[in-house]
């Protein structure tokens, strides 16, 4: 197994950040023709999603999550910025991991699939993503 940690600046607004290129660079030339890339976010308030990017899906996902998890005072988990409790519910809907097949040192994603970090938490502007190649 080989691992690497990416540091991703997410800023102060909810974001869907495409990390496919970083994942592909990590997997390329691994010397293993086939395997699995495991992508994991070691945070209680972020997730990993596979989705199409560049055609509005990022904004659509954020809108859906905002509808399901509004940033208001309804949450019992109350530390941090207003509505921060929703951030702790996010990983139940967008898991903090994804596993992608690696075939001939290339990610075996569908034509329109991208690997994305999903972060609604405006209190933590920097995230880590662990890439592990099996």
């Amino acid at each position: 197994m080989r691992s690497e940690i990416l540091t991703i600046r997410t800023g102060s607004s909810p974001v869907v950040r495409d990390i496919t290129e970083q994942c592909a660079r990590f997997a390329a030339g691994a010397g293993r023709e086939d395997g699995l890339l495991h992508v994991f976010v070691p945070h209680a308030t972020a997730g990993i999603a596979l989705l199409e990017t560049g055609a509005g899906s990022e904004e659509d996902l954020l809108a859906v999550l905002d509808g399901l998890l509004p940033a208001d005072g309804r949450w019992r988990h109350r530390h941090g910025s207003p509505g921060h409790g929703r951030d702790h519910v996010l990983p139940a809907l967008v898991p903090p991991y994804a596993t992608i097949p690696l075939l001939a040192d290339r990610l075996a994603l569908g034509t329109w699939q991208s690997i994305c970090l999903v972060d609604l938490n405006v209190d933590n502007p920097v995230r880590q993503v662990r890439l592990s190649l099996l």
Side-chain angles (χ1 to χ4, degrees):
M1 186 170 100
R2 184 167 65 94
S3 292
E4 177 177 305
I5 294 177
L6 303 176
T7 300
I8 309 290
R9 181 164 280 293
T10 56
S12 59
S13 300
V15 67
V16 176
R17 178 71 41 82
D18 187 346
I19 60 170
T20 308
E21 287 302 316
Q22 294 100 313
C23 293
R25 277 195 302 272
F26 173 73
R32 300 167 173 87
E33 289 190 11
D34 297 339
L36 296 171
L37 174 67
H38 188 72
V39 182
F40 175 70
V41 182
H43 299 285
T45 58
I48 298 292
L50 298 180
L51 73 152
E52 179 180 0
T53 58
S57 296
E58 302 98 311
E59 292 83 7
D60 290 341
L61 177 58
L62 290 174
V64 166
L65 291 172
D66 194 48
L68 291 171
L69 305 170
D72 59 21
R74 73 182 71 201
W75 307 100
R76 289 182 183 95
H77 188 112
R78 294 189 183 267
H79 79 274
S81 61
H84 177 64
R86 80 178 185 148
D87 303 334
H88 288 273
V89 176
L90 174 72
L93 301 174
V94 180
Y97 59 86
T99 302
I100 296 94
L102 183 68
L103 301 173
D105 282 345
R106 296 187 58 172
L107 300 175
L109 292 167
T111 302
W112 304 111
Q113 285 182 314
S114 294
I115 305 166
C116 296
L117 170 64
V118 180
D119 188 8
L120 303 182
N121 186 351
V122 300
D123 294 335
N124 294 329
V126 177
R127 296 304 188 146
Q128 292 185 334
V129 179
R130 178 178 293 282
L131 306 178
S132 297
L133 190 59
L134 307 169

Short mmCIF file of all heavy atoms in Angstrom, two decimals, residues 21-74:
data_model
loop_
_atom_site.label_atom_id
_atom_site.label_comp_id
_atom_site.label_asym_id
_atom_site.label_seq_id
_atom_site.Cartn_x
_atom_site.Cartn_y
_atom_site.Cartn_z
N GLU A 21 -7.79 15.20 -10.85
CA GLU A 21 -6.43 15.29 -11.41
C GLU A 21 -5.38 14.90 -10.38
O GLU A 21 -4.43 14.18 -10.70
CB GLU A 21 -6.17 16.68 -11.96
CG GLU A 21 -6.90 16.95 -13.26
CD GLU A 21 -6.55 15.95 -14.36
OE1 GLU A 21 -5.35 15.62 -14.53
OE2 GLU A 21 -7.47 15.49 -15.04
N GLN A 22 -5.54 15.37 -9.13
CA GLN A 22 -4.59 15.01 -8.09
C GLN A 22 -4.61 13.50 -7.84
O GLN A 22 -3.57 12.88 -7.65
CB GLN A 22 -4.88 15.74 -6.77
CG GLN A 22 -4.67 17.24 -6.84
CD GLN A 22 -5.98 17.99 -7.01
OE1 GLN A 22 -6.82 17.65 -7.84
NE2 GLN A 22 -6.15 19.04 -6.23
N CYS A 23 -5.81 12.91 -7.86
CA CYS A 23 -5.95 11.47 -7.67
C CYS A 23 -5.31 10.70 -8.82
O CYS A 23 -4.61 9.70 -8.61
CB CYS A 23 -7.42 11.08 -7.53
SG CYS A 23 -8.21 11.71 -6.03
N ALA A 24 -5.51 11.17 -10.04
CA ALA A 24 -4.95 10.51 -11.23
C ALA A 24 -3.42 10.58 -11.22
O ALA A 24 -2.75 9.60 -11.55
CB ALA A 24 -5.51 11.13 -12.50
N ARG A 25 -2.87 11.74 -10.82
CA ARG A 25 -1.41 11.86 -10.75
C ARG A 25 -0.83 10.90 -9.72
O ARG A 25 0.22 10.28 -9.94
CB ARG A 25 -1.01 13.30 -10.40
CG ARG A 25 -0.98 14.22 -11.60
CD ARG A 25 -0.25 15.52 -11.30
NE ARG A 25 -0.82 16.27 -10.20
CZ ARG A 25 -1.80 17.17 -10.32
NH1 ARG A 25 -2.34 17.40 -11.50
NH2 ARG A 25 -2.25 17.81 -9.27
N PHE A 26 -1.51 10.77 -8.58
CA PHE A 26 -1.05 9.86 -7.54
C PHE A 26 -1.06 8.41 -8.05
O PHE A 26 -0.13 7.65 -7.80
CB PHE A 26 -1.93 10.00 -6.29
CG PHE A 26 -1.64 8.99 -5.23
CD1 PHE A 26 -0.50 9.07 -4.46
CD2 PHE A 26 -2.52 7.94 -5.00
CE1 PHE A 26 -0.23 8.13 -3.48
CE2 PHE A 26 -2.27 6.99 -4.02
CZ PHE A 26 -1.11 7.09 -3.26
N ALA A 27 -2.10 8.04 -8.78
CA ALA A 27 -2.26 6.66 -9.24
C ALA A 27 -1.36 6.33 -10.44
O ALA A 27 -0.95 5.19 -10.61
CB ALA A 27 -3.71 6.40 -9.61
N ALA A 28 -1.03 7.32 -11.24
CA ALA A 28 -0.26 7.08 -12.47
C ALA A 28 1.15 6.60 -12.15
O ALA A 28 1.80 7.10 -11.24
CB ALA A 28 -0.19 8.36 -13.30
N GLY A 29 1.59 5.64 -12.90
CA GLY A 29 2.94 5.16 -12.74
C GLY A 29 3.19 4.45 -11.42
O GLY A 29 4.32 4.41 -10.93
N ALA A 30 2.14 3.92 -10.84
CA ALA A 30 2.27 3.26 -9.55
C ALA A 30 3.03 1.94 -9.65
O ALA A 30 3.40 1.36 -8.64
CB ALA A 30 0.89 3.02 -8.94
N GLY A 31 3.22 1.46 -10.87
CA GLY A 31 3.89 0.19 -11.05
C GLY A 31 3.00 -1.00 -10.78
O GLY A 31 3.45 -2.13 -10.73
N ARG A 32 1.74 -0.74 -10.60
CA ARG A 32 0.75 -1.79 -10.41
C ARG A 32 -0.24 -1.62 -11.55
O ARG A 32 -0.87 -0.59 -11.64
CB ARG A 32 0.01 -1.62 -9.09
CG ARG A 32 0.88 -1.65 -7.88
CD ARG A 32 0.04 -1.14 -6.68
NE ARG A 32 0.71 -1.28 -5.43
CZ ARG A 32 1.53 -0.39 -4.91
NH1 ARG A 32 1.77 0.72 -5.55
NH2 ARG A 32 2.10 -0.60 -3.75
N GLU A 33 -0.42 -2.57 -12.33
CA GLU A 33 -1.35 -2.40 -13.43
C GLU A 33 -2.77 -2.21 -12.95
O GLU A 33 -3.49 -1.36 -13.44
CB GLU A 33 -1.25 -3.57 -14.39
CG GLU A 33 0.05 -3.56 -15.16
CD GLU A 33 0.03 -4.56 -16.27
OE1 GLU A 33 -1.04 -5.11 -16.59
OE2 GLU A 33 1.10 -4.80 -16.83
N ASP A 34 -3.19 -3.01 -11.99
CA ASP A 34 -4.55 -2.94 -11.48
C ASP A 34 -4.52 -2.79 -9.97
O ASP A 34 -3.58 -3.23 -9.31
CB ASP A 34 -5.34 -4.21 -11.83
CG ASP A 34 -5.52 -4.41 -13.33
OD1 ASP A 34 -5.41 -3.41 -14.07
OD2 ASP A 34 -5.77 -5.54 -13.74
N GLY A 35 -5.55 -2.19 -9.43
CA GLY A 35 -5.63 -2.01 -7.99
C GLY A 35 -6.85 -1.19 -7.63
O GLY A 35 -7.79 -1.05 -8.41
N LEU A 36 -6.80 -0.62 -6.45
CA LEU A 36 -7.87 0.23 -5.95
C LEU A 36 -7.28 1.50 -5.37
O LEU A 36 -6.29 1.45 -4.64
CB LEU A 36 -8.67 -0.48 -4.85
CG LEU A 36 -9.44 -1.73 -5.26
CD1 LEU A 36 -9.99 -2.43 -4.02
CD2 LEU A 36 -10.56 -1.38 -6.22
N LEU A 37 -7.90 2.61 -5.69
CA LEU A 37 -7.56 3.89 -5.06
C LEU A 37 -8.65 4.18 -4.04
O LEU A 37 -9.83 4.28 -4.40
CB LEU A 37 -7.49 5.03 -6.08
CG LEU A 37 -7.27 6.40 -5.45
CD1 LEU A 37 -5.89 6.49 -4.80
CD2 LEU A 37 -7.46 7.50 -6.47
N HIS A 38 -8.24 4.30 -2.79
CA HIS A 38 -9.18 4.66 -1.73
C HIS A 38 -8.93 6.13 -1.39
O HIS A 38 -7.80 6.54 -1.14
CB HIS A 38 -8.97 3.78 -0.50
CG HIS A 38 -10.03 3.97 0.53
ND1 HIS A 38 -11.32 3.51 0.36
CD2 HIS A 38 -10.01 4.58 1.72
CE1 HIS A 38 -12.03 3.82 1.43
NE2 HIS A 38 -11.26 4.48 2.26
N VAL A 39 -10.00 6.92 -1.42
CA VAL A 39 -9.93 8.36 -1.15
C VAL A 39 -10.71 8.58 0.14
O VAL A 39 -11.89 8.22 0.24
CB VAL A 39 -10.57 9.17 -2.30
CG1 VAL A 39 -10.45 10.66 -2.04
CG2 VAL A 39 -9.93 8.80 -3.64
N PHE A 40 -10.05 9.16 1.15
CA PHE A 40 -10.66 9.31 2.48
C PHE A 40 -10.42 10.71 3.03
O PHE A 40 -9.31 11.23 2.94
CB PHE A 40 -10.07 8.27 3.44
CG PHE A 40 -10.54 8.39 4.85
CD1 PHE A 40 -11.85 8.09 5.19
CD2 PHE A 40 -9.68 8.83 5.84
CE1 PHE A 40 -12.30 8.21 6.50
CE2 PHE A 40 -10.12 8.95 7.15
CZ PHE A 40 -11.42 8.64 7.48
N VAL A 41 -11.47 11.30 3.58
CA VAL A 41 -11.37 12.62 4.22
C VAL A 41 -11.44 12.41 5.73
O VAL A 41 -12.48 12.01 6.25
CB VAL A 41 -12.54 13.54 3.79
CG1 VAL A 41 -12.40 14.90 4.42
CG2 VAL A 41 -12.59 13.68 2.29
N PRO A 42 -10.34 12.64 6.46
CA PRO A 42 -10.35 12.41 7.90
C PRO A 42 -10.93 13.60 8.68
O PRO A 42 -10.30 14.16 9.57
CB PRO A 42 -8.86 12.20 8.22
CG PRO A 42 -8.16 13.06 7.23
CD PRO A 42 -9.01 12.99 5.97
N HIS A 43 -12.13 13.97 8.30
CA HIS A 43 -12.82 15.09 8.96
C HIS A 43 -14.27 14.69 9.22
O HIS A 43 -14.87 13.96 8.42
CB HIS A 43 -12.81 16.34 8.06
CG HIS A 43 -11.43 16.84 7.74
ND1 HIS A 43 -10.66 17.51 8.65
CD2 HIS A 43 -10.69 16.72 6.61
CE1 HIS A 43 -9.49 17.81 8.09
NE2 HIS A 43 -9.49 17.34 6.86
N ALA A 44 -14.83 15.18 10.30
CA ALA A 44 -16.21 14.85 10.68
C ALA A 44 -17.24 15.68 9.93
O ALA A 44 -18.44 15.51 10.14
CB ALA A 44 -16.40 15.04 12.18
N THR A 45 -16.78 16.58 9.06
CA THR A 45 -17.71 17.51 8.42
C THR A 45 -17.48 17.64 6.92
O THR A 45 -17.83 18.68 6.33
CB THR A 45 -17.61 18.90 9.07
OG1 THR A 45 -16.26 19.36 8.96
CG2 THR A 45 -18.02 18.88 10.53
N ALA A 46 -16.92 16.63 6.27
CA ALA A 46 -16.69 16.69 4.83
C ALA A 46 -16.94 15.32 4.22
O ALA A 46 -17.02 14.32 4.94
CB ALA A 46 -15.27 17.16 4.53
N GLY A 47 -17.09 15.27 2.91
CA GLY A 47 -17.35 14.01 2.24
C GLY A 47 -16.69 13.96 0.87
O GLY A 47 -16.14 14.95 0.38
N ILE A 48 -16.78 12.78 0.26
CA ILE A 48 -16.27 12.55 -1.09
C ILE A 48 -17.44 12.11 -1.96
O ILE A 48 -18.20 11.22 -1.57
CB ILE A 48 -15.18 11.46 -1.10
CG1 ILE A 48 -13.97 11.87 -0.26
CG2 ILE A 48 -14.78 11.11 -2.53
CD1 ILE A 48 -13.16 13.03 -0.84
N ALA A 49 -17.60 12.73 -3.12
CA ALA A 49 -18.68 12.37 -4.04
C ALA A 49 -18.10 12.12 -5.43
O ALA A 49 -17.13 12.75 -5.83
CB ALA A 49 -19.72 13.49 -4.11
N LEU A 50 -18.72 11.20 -6.14
CA LEU A 50 -18.41 10.98 -7.55
C LEU A 50 -19.56 11.59 -8.35
O LEU A 50 -20.71 11.17 -8.19
CB LEU A 50 -18.30 9.48 -7.87
CG LEU A 50 -17.20 8.72 -7.14
CD1 LEU A 50 -17.22 7.25 -7.55
CD2 LEU A 50 -15.84 9.33 -7.38
N LEU A 51 -19.26 12.60 -9.15
CA LEU A 51 -20.31 13.24 -9.93
C LEU A 51 -19.71 13.96 -11.14
O LEU A 51 -18.50 14.17 -11.20
CB LEU A 51 -21.13 14.20 -9.09
CG LEU A 51 -20.50 15.52 -8.67
CD1 LEU A 51 -21.61 16.55 -8.47
CD2 LEU A 51 -19.76 15.36 -7.36
N GLU A 52 -20.57 14.31 -12.06
CA GLU A 52 -20.16 15.10 -13.21
C GLU A 52 -19.85 16.52 -12.74
O GLU A 52 -20.58 17.08 -11.91
CB GLU A 52 -21.30 15.14 -14.24
CG GLU A 52 -20.97 15.95 -15.46
CD GLU A 52 -22.09 15.98 -16.48
OE1 GLU A 52 -23.15 15.36 -16.24
OE2 GLU A 52 -21.91 16.64 -17.51
N THR A 53 -18.79 17.09 -13.29
CA THR A 53 -18.46 18.47 -12.93
C THR A 53 -18.43 19.33 -14.19
O THR A 53 -18.35 18.82 -15.30
CB THR A 53 -17.07 18.54 -12.24
OG1 THR A 53 -16.09 17.98 -13.12
CG2 THR A 53 -17.07 17.80 -10.92
N GLY A 54 -18.51 20.63 -13.98
CA GLY A 54 -18.40 21.56 -15.09
C GLY A 54 -19.69 21.86 -15.82
O GLY A 54 -19.72 22.71 -16.69
N ALA A 55 -20.77 21.16 -15.48
CA ALA A 55 -22.05 21.40 -16.15
C ALA A 55 -23.12 21.86 -15.16
O ALA A 55 -24.31 21.77 -15.45
CB ALA A 55 -22.50 20.13 -16.87
N GLY A 56 -22.69 22.31 -13.99
CA GLY A 56 -23.64 22.80 -13.00
C GLY A 56 -23.96 21.82 -11.89
O GLY A 56 -24.68 22.17 -10.94
N SER A 57 -23.46 20.60 -11.98
CA SER A 57 -23.78 19.61 -10.94
C SER A 57 -23.23 19.99 -9.58
O SER A 57 -23.82 19.65 -8.56
CB SER A 57 -23.24 18.23 -11.34
OG SER A 57 -23.88 17.77 -12.50
N GLU A 58 -22.10 20.69 -9.55
CA GLU A 58 -21.54 21.12 -8.26
C GLU A 58 -22.52 22.03 -7.53
O GLU A 58 -22.82 21.83 -6.36
CB GLU A 58 -20.21 21.85 -8.46
CG GLU A 58 -19.15 21.04 -9.17
CD GLU A 58 -19.06 21.36 -10.65
OE1 GLU A 58 -20.10 21.39 -11.35
OE2 GLU A 58 -17.93 21.56 -11.13
N GLU A 59 -23.04 23.03 -8.26
CA GLU A 59 -24.00 23.96 -7.67
C GLU A 59 -25.31 23.25 -7.33
O GLU A 59 -25.94 23.56 -6.32
CB GLU A 59 -24.26 25.14 -8.62
CG GLU A 59 -23.06 26.05 -8.81
CD GLU A 59 -22.05 25.54 -9.85
OE1 GLU A 59 -22.34 24.53 -10.54
OE2 GLU A 59 -20.97 26.14 -9.94
N ASP A 60 -25.72 22.31 -8.19
CA ASP A 60 -26.94 21.54 -7.90
C ASP A 60 -26.79 20.74 -6.62
O ASP A 60 -27.71 20.70 -5.79
CB ASP A 60 -27.27 20.59 -9.06
CG ASP A 60 -27.75 21.32 -10.30
OD1 ASP A 60 -28.16 22.50 -10.20
OD2 ASP A 60 -27.70 20.71 -11.39
N LEU A 61 -25.64 20.09 -6.44
CA LEU A 61 -25.42 19.32 -5.21
C LEU A 61 -25.44 20.23 -3.99
O LEU A 61 -26.08 19.91 -2.99
CB LEU A 61 -24.09 18.56 -5.29
CG LEU A 61 -23.71 17.76 -4.03
CD1 LEU A 61 -24.79 16.74 -3.66
CD2 LEU A 61 -22.36 17.09 -4.21
N LEU A 62 -24.79 21.37 -4.07
CA LEU A 62 -24.80 22.30 -2.94
C LEU A 62 -26.21 22.79 -2.64
O LEU A 62 -26.60 22.91 -1.47
CB LEU A 62 -23.87 23.49 -3.20
CG LEU A 62 -22.37 23.17 -3.18
CD1 LEU A 62 -21.57 24.40 -3.61
CD2 LEU A 62 -21.93 22.68 -1.82
N ALA A 63 -27.02 23.03 -3.68
CA ALA A 63 -28.41 23.47 -3.48
C ALA A 63 -29.23 22.37 -2.81
O ALA A 63 -30.03 22.65 -1.90
CB ALA A 63 -29.04 23.88 -4.81
N VAL A 64 -29.06 21.13 -3.25
CA VAL A 64 -29.78 20.01 -2.64
C VAL A 64 -29.38 19.86 -1.18
O VAL A 64 -30.24 19.69 -0.30
CB VAL A 64 -29.53 18.69 -3.42
CG1 VAL A 64 -29.98 17.49 -2.62
CG2 VAL A 64 -30.25 18.74 -4.76
N LEU A 65 -28.08 19.91 -0.91
CA LEU A 65 -27.62 19.77 0.47
C LEU A 65 -28.11 20.92 1.34
O LEU A 65 -28.46 20.73 2.51
CB LEU A 65 -26.10 19.65 0.51
CG LEU A 65 -25.54 18.35 -0.07
CD1 LEU A 65 -24.02 18.42 -0.16
CD2 LEU A 65 -26.00 17.15 0.73
N ASP A 66 -28.14 22.13 0.78
CA ASP A 66 -28.66 23.28 1.54
C ASP A 66 -30.14 23.11 1.85
O ASP A 66 -30.61 23.49 2.92
CB ASP A 66 -28.41 24.58 0.77
CG ASP A 66 -28.60 25.79 1.65
OD1 ASP A 66 -28.04 25.81 2.77
OD2 ASP A 66 -29.31 26.73 1.23
N GLY A 67 -30.90 22.51 0.92
CA GLY A 67 -32.31 22.24 1.17
C GLY A 67 -32.51 21.17 2.23
O GLY A 67 -33.39 21.27 3.09
N LEU A 68 -31.69 20.12 2.18
CA LEU A 68 -31.78 19.04 3.17
C LEU A 68 -31.19 19.43 4.52
O LEU A 68 -31.68 18.99 5.57
CB LEU A 68 -31.04 17.80 2.66
CG LEU A 68 -31.64 17.05 1.48
CD1 LEU A 68 -30.66 15.99 0.98
CD2 LEU A 68 -32.97 16.43 1.87
N LEU A 69 -30.12 20.21 4.47
CA LEU A 69 -29.37 20.57 5.68
C LEU A 69 -29.20 22.09 5.76
O LEU A 69 -28.11 22.62 5.57
CB LEU A 69 -27.99 19.91 5.64
CG LEU A 69 -27.92 18.40 5.46
CD1 LEU A 69 -26.49 17.95 5.20
CD2 LEU A 69 -28.50 17.70 6.67
N PRO A 70 -30.30 22.82 6.04
CA PRO A 70 -30.18 24.28 6.07
C PRO A 70 -29.26 24.76 7.20
O PRO A 70 -29.21 24.15 8.26
CB PRO A 70 -31.62 24.76 6.29
CG PRO A 70 -32.39 23.57 6.70
CD PRO A 70 -31.65 22.35 6.32
N ALA A 71 -28.54 25.83 6.92
CA ALA A 71 -27.64 26.42 7.92
C ALA A 71 -28.43 27.36 8.81
O ALA A 71 -28.36 28.58 8.69
CB ALA A 71 -26.50 27.15 7.23
N ASP A 72 -29.20 26.79 9.72
CA ASP A 72 -30.01 27.60 10.63
C ASP A 72 -29.87 27.07 12.06
O ASP A 72 -29.02 26.23 12.33
CB ASP A 72 -31.47 27.65 10.17
CG ASP A 72 -32.12 26.28 10.09
OD1 ASP A 72 -31.63 25.32 10.73
OD2 ASP A 72 -33.14 26.15 9.39
N GLY A 73 -30.71 27.52 12.95
CA GLY A 73 -30.59 27.20 14.37
C GLY A 73 -31.26 25.91 14.81
O GLY A 73 -31.37 25.68 16.01
N ARG A 74 -31.70 25.05 13.91
CA ARG A 74 -32.43 23.84 14.31
C ARG A 74 -31.54 22.73 14.87
O ARG A 74 -32.04 21.78 15.42
CB ARG A 74 -33.21 23.29 13.12
CG ARG A 74 -32.34 22.63 12.06
CD ARG A 74 -33.10 22.13 10.87
NE ARG A 74 -33.56 23.26 10.10
CZ ARG A 74 -34.55 23.24 9.24
NH1 ARG A 74 -35.20 22.13 8.99
NH2 ARG A 74 -34.91 24.32 8.59
#
